[in-house]
Amino acid sequence: MAHESGEPNESSRGRQRVFVVRRLPAAVEAVLVARYDAALNPTDESYPVDRLIDAAREFDAIVPTVVDNVPAAVFDVPARRARIVANYGVGFDRIDLDAARRNGVMVTNTPGVLTEDTADLAMMLIIAAARRASEGERQLRAGGWNGWRPTHLLGTRVNGATLGIVGFGRIGAAVARRAHRGFNMRVLFVNPRDPDPAAVAAAMAERCATIGELLAQSDVVSLHAPARDDTRGMIDARHFAMMRPGAILVNTARGDLVDEAALVRALETGTIAAAGLDVFEREPIVSDRLLALDNVVLLPHLGSATTSSRVAMGERMLANLDAFFRGLEPPDRIA
Ligand code: DGY
């Protein structure tokens, strides 16, 4: 663990009190308890919102994760003590930033440190979905494999195929680079803002004017947009109809981006060939219809699940907390 920022100042009330919503890697928890009066969550149970509201009254900082809801009630609570919410993770779609701003509570996240691992996992889902890896493993484990045969579980070639990236930020660009350099793929993308020219050049990526243009040309579509009001349900039945027959959808971003019922229908009817999903509309609930399908690879939100990323996310969260309590601007302020 890096200890660059050193001991934060103690408040007049003694050590700063930090409420940690979920269990974190041991190395991160060790630093938290060394630097702060930290309440950890050893059972890793998911807390109800009331517990976070109480924590806002009793603690100087709250450390939620990307799956914990931090609604307005947490920020609006009378006699609030908490002055910072240091999110463990990049996505902040479950934190009410307007309420945070209204109440003068700072919010930070942990960008940059999970990019490569999440991009690796997206590549894994692209290949697993195209080559029917989960279907094959299920068949083998169930004793249903009776040997090599020329027509067994034929999939789709990834090498040289066209990949459409929706959202060309850090992770989208990292997937594009892998796809182009490692798998000789043609890369298309859509992005609301002008992308990093170096990232575009590294993947020889071509910008599409509309998502329809991208969908019509892509063999694989990989989603890398944030969940916001304007991106929720951005891939719906209309979009599946625009995709190529035989196309594959991969989502390692947020389940909310996709109308999941429409995705199920597209997979059931063969409108698209397959999907690889690491995120879901109602996590951790996965619909029975999705579970029943053979042409979808399902993972339990593992994008950043390496020890390297999860410890680095903790270091980043600590750097934000430490800066805040030393009266400095945290490096990853989002509100
Ligand atoms: C994030 O940080 O937003 C990721 O979803 C965690 O893997």
Side-chain angles (χ1 to χ4, degrees), residues 242-294:
M242 290 182 210
M243 286 171 75
R244 300 181 117 178
I248 293 167
L249 178 80
V250 166
N251 189 3
T252 53
R254 282 293 181 270
D256 316 46
L257 302 181
V258 178
D259 175 343
E260 209 165 273
L263 170 63
V264 168
R265 276 193 300 279
L267 289 165
E268 284 173 347
T269 56
T271 305
I272 66 169
L277 306 177
D278 188 42
V279 287
F280 303 88
E281 208 168 63
R282 291 178 303 138
E283 266 177 61
I285 298 165
V286 179
S287 81
D288 288 343
R289 280 173 66 191
L290 210 42
L291 290 170
L293 285 168
D294 253 338

Side-chain angles (χ1 to χ4, degrees), residues 311-326:
V311 170
M313 288 158 70
E315 290 176 340
R316 200 89 189 199
M317 173 275 292
L318 281 160
N320 287 311
L321 272 188
D322 295 350
F324 178 81
F325 286 123
R326 292 162 77 207

Side-chain angles (χ1 to χ4, degrees), residues 1-205:
M1 291 288 297
H3 291 253
E4 287 163 4
S5 37
E7 282 289 321
N9 294 337
E10 298 198 348
S11 73
S12 53
R13 295 168 290 205
R15 293 213 301 168
Q16 307 287 355
R17 304 198 68 210
V18 177
F19 184 78
V20 184
V21 176
R22 297 305 293 261
R23 186 157 210 180
L24 301 181
V28 179
E29 290 189 342
V31 178
L32 271 168
V33 295
R35 293 187 191 166
Y36 296 100
D37 176 3
L40 304 180
N41 178 353
T43 62
D44 207 17
E45 71 192 284
S46 169
Y47 293 139
V49 167
D50 282 354
R51 187 81 190 267
L52 264 67
I53 295 174
D54 289 344
R57 283 199 203 94
E58 294 163 23
F59 291 80
D60 299 290
I62 299 178
V63 177
T65 71
V66 292
V67 296
D68 303 308
N69 288 319
V70 190
V74 173
F75 298 101
D76 290 340
V77 64
R80 178 180 35 76
R81 173 168 170 162
R83 288 174 297 130
I84 178 168
V85 169
N87 190 38
Y88 176 89
V90 180
F92 46 82
D93 41 296
R94 297 193 178 209
I95 303 176
D96 191 328
L97 293 190
D98 289 337
R101 289 191 192 101
R102 198 170 61 234
N103 285 285
V105 178
M106 196 175 286
V107 182
T108 59
N109 71 343
T110 64
V113 290
L114 47 80
T115 305
E116 302 303 329
D117 288 330
T118 307
D120 284 349
L121 190 110
M123 251 355 269
M124 184 178 102
L125 281 176
I126 291 171
I127 298 165
R131 299 300 301 272
R132 304 172 68 176
S134 298
E135 199 180 342
E137 185 174 3
R138 276 194 298 276
Q139 191 181 82
L140 180 151
R141 285 180 185 274
W145 183 38
N146 49 21
W148 189 91
R149 52 190 202 279
T151 57
H152 184 214
L153 285 179
L154 302 188
T156 303
R157 180 180 291 165
V158 171
N159 189 63
T162 298
L163 171 65
I165 303 259
V166 178
F168 206 78
R170 287 187 198 85
I171 298 172
V175 174
R177 201 175 61 238
R178 281 160 175 72
H180 177 67
R181 295 194 177 169
F183 295 87
N184 197 28
M185 295 178 91
R186 176 183 178 212
V187 177
L188 310 176
F189 72 96
V190 283
N191 199 56
R193 286 194 304 272
D194 282 341
D196 172 5
V200 173
M204 290 179 66

